[in-house]
Amino acid sequence: MAQYTVCNGQSLGLSSVLEADTKRIVTMVNDTFEKEGLALVVACGRDTISYASSIRCLAPDNVFVIQIQHPRYRLDRFDLVVLTVGALHQADSAALRTAASDWHDELANSPKPLVVVNIGGPTRNCNYDVGLAKKLISSLHNVLKTCGSVRVSFSRRTPHKVSDLILKEFSTHPKVYIWNGEGPNPHLGHLAWADAFVITADSISMLSEACSTGKPVYVVGTEHCRWKFLDFHNRLHERGAVRPFTGLEDMSDNWSYPPLNDAIDVAARVREVLAERGWTVG
C-alpha cells in the first residue's frame, strides 16, 4: 500500500501547491495501483479538505482517504475521519529518547526541577498583549524559589515587545537560560529533560507535545482563548493534563496523567479499519 500525506502549512501559495499535489497524487496512485495496490492518503488541516475529497472523487477505487479532524463537510467524501484531542506531532517516545541522548551533555546536569517555559504569540483565537507577558513574569518570579533551573524559548510568532520584556527581566538571572534562537533548536531536548512546563495558551502544538510526556504542564492565558482553542483547553483540563499557571505553584510537585498519545491512537485506529477490509500498511 502506497502512502501520501497532505498537510496544512503556513507558506505562501498553499492553494496552488495543494492543487498541484492533488493532480500529481491522482496520477501517481492510478499509475502505481496495479503494482503497489491501494494508496493511503492522509490529510490534516482545514485547507486540505477540498483537495483530499477531490483525490477520492478522482480515484475512488484506488485510494483510501483519511481526514484528520472533522471536516465540517460531507463525510461521505472521505473513507475515514479521525478526531484527535490535540495536534499530531513527531515528538514520540523514540524521538524523545534520541533527544535525551543528543542533549545529555547540556541538560542532564541542570539543577532540578528543570522548568521549561515555551512562549508563543497571539493568534486570532487566542489574542493577548504584553499584559500576559507581565503576568507571566510576575508568576515566574513567585515560583523561582521552587525551581532548580528555568529554560525559556520563544516561537517565531512571539512579538518583540513580549520577548523584550522577558529578556529584560530574566536575561541576567542565574537560574534562567533564554535561548536566543541561534544554534540547534533545544525544543526536543527540553521535552526530554524538563521536569515541568509552562506554556502560553495560544500554541496547540507545543501543548500537545508537552502533554505527550505525562509531565506537569501549566498554562498561562487560557482566558484569552475562544472557539476550538477553548475546546482544546477544556479537553486537556478534563484529562487532568494541564493546570493554570498562577504563580502559587511548587514546581517540584511531580503530578502526572495518562500521556496524550494522539498519533499512536490514530495509527492504531487506521490499522484497525484497514484490517477490517483485509488491507495492511506496508
Side-chain angles (χ1 to χ4, degrees), residues 119-120 122 128-130 133 137 154 158-167:
I119 302 172
Y128 55 85
D129 55 22
V130 293
I137 288 170
F154 303 111
T158 307
H160 287 299
K161 57 187 177 181
V162 171
S163 57
D164 287 347
L165 273 177
I166 301 293
L167 285 164

Side-chain angles (χ1 to χ4, degrees), residues 20 30 51 59 64 68 89 91-92 109 120 135 146 148 152 157 193 196 201 204-205 244 257 264 270:
N30 287 335
Y51 301 100
F64 187 87
I68 306 298
H89 56 82
D92 57 15
N109 293 321
K135 176 182 176 182
T146 66
V152 180
R157 293 186 295 103
W193 284 103
I204 291 178
S205 294
Y257 49 90
I264 294 174
V270 169

Side-chain angles (χ1 to χ4, degrees), residues 18 215 239 282:
L18 287 176
K215 301 172 184 177
R239 294 171 65 103

Side-chain angles (χ1 to χ4, degrees), residues 6 23 60 62 64 75 84 100 103 144 146 152 158-159 206 212 222-223 251 262:
V6 182
K23 296 175 181 178
N62 297 352
F64 187 87
L75 296 183
T84 64
W103 288 89
L144 273 174
T146 66
V152 180
T158 307
M206 287 194 296
S212 73
T222 305
E223 67 274 13
M251 301 306 289
D262 278 336

